[in-house]
Amino acid sequence: MPRPLRLLVPLLSAALLALAMVPLSAGPASARPTVVGVAVDDQGKPLEGVYWDIYSLQGGRWTGLQFGPKLTDANGRFSFTGGDVGLNIGTKYRICFSDTFYGFGDGGEWTPDVRHRDTCWRSDATVSTSVETASDWTATDGPTTFTLTLPTVGLGMAPVEPFVVGAYEVGKPLTAVGLEGWRPTTANRTYQWYRWATNTTLEKIAGATASTYTPTSADAGKRVMVDVTGTLAGYKTAVLRSEGNIVGSAHAQLSSALKLTGTAAPGQTLTASFGPPAGSYYSEISWYVDGVPQVGFTRSSTTSATFPVTAAMAGANVEARVMVYLNDGGGNFIDGSRMDGRAVRQVQGVRPPQPLPLKAQPTVATTPVSGATAVGATLTAPSGLTADPAATTTYQWLRGGAPVPGATTSSYQLQPADVGSRISVAATVARPGWWSGFLRTSATSEVVQGVLPAGQVKVKGGAKVGAKLKAKVTGWDGVTLSYRWFRNGEAIKPAKAAAKASYKPTAKDRGKRITVVVTATKASYLPATVTSKAKRVKR
């Protein structure tokens, strides 16, 4: 399940699709309403990591539930029951999904390949474009399920949250920074600065559409922030908002600015430090790599923090950010006193491909033995590694985790050297505007089995009762042989007498055709069998 960043959810975008509400009638009546929401794509696949919200009309505005994070689970589902911040029977609500989460999943940064259209529920077939045009649902006693389809609308960006530096004083510029990691790098980024005109009204500042904005007297005493919007053909538009701060309030003043010391190279450690402000304060130092927060490395109430530089960070910008609040006499934060700073170093080297999980195995496309992963079989790499039509993919097949020389296409024919090993394939996907490729290594194949060459068996000896027939086998080396003699195509009983390299015909065999089947086995090889020509026993 994704773990969220400290982000504000952007406004729902246009072009939303609504589907019908499906009420649940089974089960006893509940004391409180319950909403179950399910988000699926246009193929019916559950969508994990999608924001959901339930809005109610407060002070003339549709307002979402005041808690978070609110994200769908691996089944594309959420469930919410009335409580202290819950639902009331008879009250009107509106339900929306928004595919605008840009946080972290269990495997790291949450960067789904495609994004889906934000969707609000309507009671009819009309397309809703925002919570304002969604349909009302009146809460009833018991559970109600809403299943909404969110069609794919484009590739998914990997945006980063803007960070604002500056004094937050009238006449002194503020600048949105920390966007080096926004992917694709070819996206067109635009800016819009806002101020909170009142406690409930966010006002767009006219003409404030550059990365830098200088507050005016109209901003004094108000909280100012910036939205950064990324657009690119084929991608879903992404919008992220900075944290706001109050213009003209008494901000913390560091006795020395944040700085980085140490060598910015893989295997080394960087140290961030600053001089504390006067008086009581609270501080946080956080680390970012190309604008992406590094979970687990935030340190609070300290003037220094360290960060290990890994090989995966080669070529990236490693950044430390400090946030400092002043405290009042009771140890509480003073609103508007926050001060922010940053220091950046570029790591030596070139960015390596970013590893991503891939559970699929190579597929056995053709094989000399039905259903077997054996020498001579052709394996093909898993498909569907990216939805980006402009991406290119390179391959390297691996034997026991080690590269197979020359095996660099999407398919690979198993060789004798593969016997006893498991085979996988590493696929590196390169996408325009993404500063590193994505390395996806498949799960391993089944253990590769060898295929024994064709053997031959001849029956030597006189074909008469009491004489000895002997199987002479050629064509195999280093194998274990087993035998089974047959009379007119049926196994001779008792098996003990007919499971050796030789067989003496009995009276039951007079006039019958005798054959022997020989099976060869060898470690890591498929068993092989051969059947002799028949000999008719004299009467």
Side-chain angles (χ1 to χ4, degrees), residues 97-244:
F97 286 104
S98 174
D99 190 10
T100 54
F101 172 67
Y102 300 103
F104 288 83
D106 293 334
E109 188 182 7
W110 186 254
T111 54
D113 216 28
V114 296
R115 289 285 180 170
H116 303 85
R117 193 160 53 190
D118 303 336
T119 304
C120 290
W121 175 77
R122 280 195 61 89
S123 58
D124 56 24
T126 305
V127 175
S128 173
T129 58
S130 69
V131 65
E132 285 76 19
T133 58
S135 291
D136 294 345
W137 167 70
T138 302
T140 58
D141 187 14
T144 304
T145 294
F146 297 84
T147 299
L148 282 71
T149 296
L150 285 64
T152 300
V153 293
L155 298 169
M157 291 192 184
V160 292
E161 185 178 3
F163 183 71
V164 176
V165 293
Y168 283 93
E169 295 180 14
V170 172
K172 295 185 178 182
L174 301 174
T175 302
V177 296
L179 301 171
E180 298 88 349
W182 192 297
R183 289 145 289 160
T185 57
T186 49
N188 178 46
R189 291 199 298 268
T190 58
Y191 302 82
Q192 178 62 62
W193 292 82
Y194 291 86
R195 69 169 72 93
W196 279 106
T198 67
N199 287 337
T200 59
T201 305
L202 189 63
E203 177 184 290
K204 183 184 295 186
I205 301 174
T209 56
S211 60
T212 296
Y213 169 67
T214 300
T216 68
S217 58
D219 301 311
K222 296 183 175 62
R223 199 174 300 274
V224 170
M225 64 206 65
V226 63
D227 276 2
V228 179
T229 300
T231 57
L232 184 65
Y235 282 80
K236 180 178 180 178
T237 297
V239 183
L240 287 186
R241 176 172 294 165
S242 71
E243 292 193 41

Side-chain angles (χ1 to χ4, degrees), residues 469-482:
L469 298 177
K470 187 174 182 179
K472 182 174 178 59
V473 179
T474 58
W476 288 321
D477 293 315
V479 299
T480 299
L481 300 176
S482 59

Side-chain angles (χ1 to χ4, degrees), residues 104-460:
F104 288 83
D106 293 334
E109 188 182 7
W110 186 254
T111 54
D113 216 28
V114 296
R115 289 285 180 170
H116 303 85
R117 193 160 53 190
D118 303 336
T119 304
C120 290
W121 175 77
R122 280 195 61 89
S123 58
D124 56 24
T126 305
V127 175
S128 173
T129 58
S130 69
V131 65
E132 285 76 19
T133 58
S135 291
D136 294 345
W137 167 70
T138 302
T140 58
D141 187 14
T144 304
T145 294
F146 297 84
T147 299
L148 282 71
T149 296
L150 285 64
T152 300
V153 293
L155 298 169
M157 291 192 184
V160 292
E161 185 178 3
F163 183 71
V164 176
V165 293
Y168 283 93
E169 295 180 14
V170 172
K172 295 185 178 182
L174 301 174
T175 302
V177 296
L179 301 171
E180 298 88 349
W182 192 297
R183 289 145 289 160
T185 57
T186 49
N188 178 46
R189 291 199 298 268
T190 58
Y191 302 82
Q192 178 62 62
W193 292 82
Y194 291 86
R195 69 169 72 93
W196 279 106
T198 67
N199 287 337
T200 59
T201 305
L202 189 63
E203 177 184 290
K204 183 184 295 186
I205 301 174
T209 56
S211 60
T212 296
Y213 169 67
T214 300
T216 68
S217 58
D219 301 311
K222 296 183 175 62
R223 199 174 300 274
V224 170
M225 64 206 65
V226 63
D227 276 2
V228 179
T229 300
T231 57
L232 184 65
Y235 282 80
K236 180 178 180 178
T237 297
V239 183
L240 287 186
R241 176 172 294 165
S242 71
E243 292 193 41
N245 205 350
I246 298 175
V247 174
S249 58
H251 300 285
Q253 301 295 319
L254 301 185
S255 55
S256 61
L258 182 71
K259 64 179 181 180
L260 286 177
T261 56
T263 302
Q268 301 297 311
T269 298
L270 292 175
T271 299
S273 60
F274 66 92
S280 178
Y281 70 94
Y282 170 83
S283 67
E284 264 186 15
I285 297 177
S286 301
W287 293 90
Y288 294 73
V289 175
D290 280 327
V292 178
Q294 301 302 291
V295 176
F297 287 97
T298 298
R299 300 292 181 265
S300 59
S301 301
T302 182
T303 58
S304 66
T306 59
F307 181 72
V309 181
T310 68
M313 300 171 190
N317 287 310
V318 172
E319 173 186 0
R321 298 181 185 177
V322 63
M323 176 188 70
V324 179
Y325 273 98
L326 297 177
N327 292 334
D328 62 17
N332 302 307
F333 294 171
I334 298 176
D335 189 28
S337 69
R338 194 183 81 241
M339 172 274 168
D340 299 297
R342 76 191 286 252
V344 184
R345 296 278 290 278
Q346 185 172 19
V347 180
Q348 300 172 15
V350 178
R351 293 180 177 95
Q354 176 186 350
L356 292 177
L358 180 62
K359 296 180 180 179
Q361 289 181 308
T363 302
V364 179
T366 61
T367 178
V369 180
S370 178
T373 304
V375 170
T378 298
L379 302 182
T380 57
S383 60
L385 300 179
T386 178
D388 190 343
T392 58
T393 305
T394 57
Y395 301 90
Q396 175 61 65
W397 290 87
L398 309 171
R399 178 190 299 128
V404 179
T408 56
T409 63
S410 60
S411 62
Y412 173 65
Q413 188 173 40
L414 297 174
Q415 307 297 318
D418 300 321
V419 172
S421 300
R422 292 183 183 271
I423 304 298
S424 57
V425 60
T428 301
V429 178
R431 301 176 61 187
W434 295 70
W435 36 248
S436 67
F438 297 91
L439 177 62
R440 309 195 76 167
T441 302
S442 73
T444 58
S445 69
E446 303 300 319
V447 174
V448 178
Q449 295 177 289
V451 178
L452 292 170
Q456 298 84 37
V457 59
K458 289 184 178 181
V459 176
K460 300 288 187 178

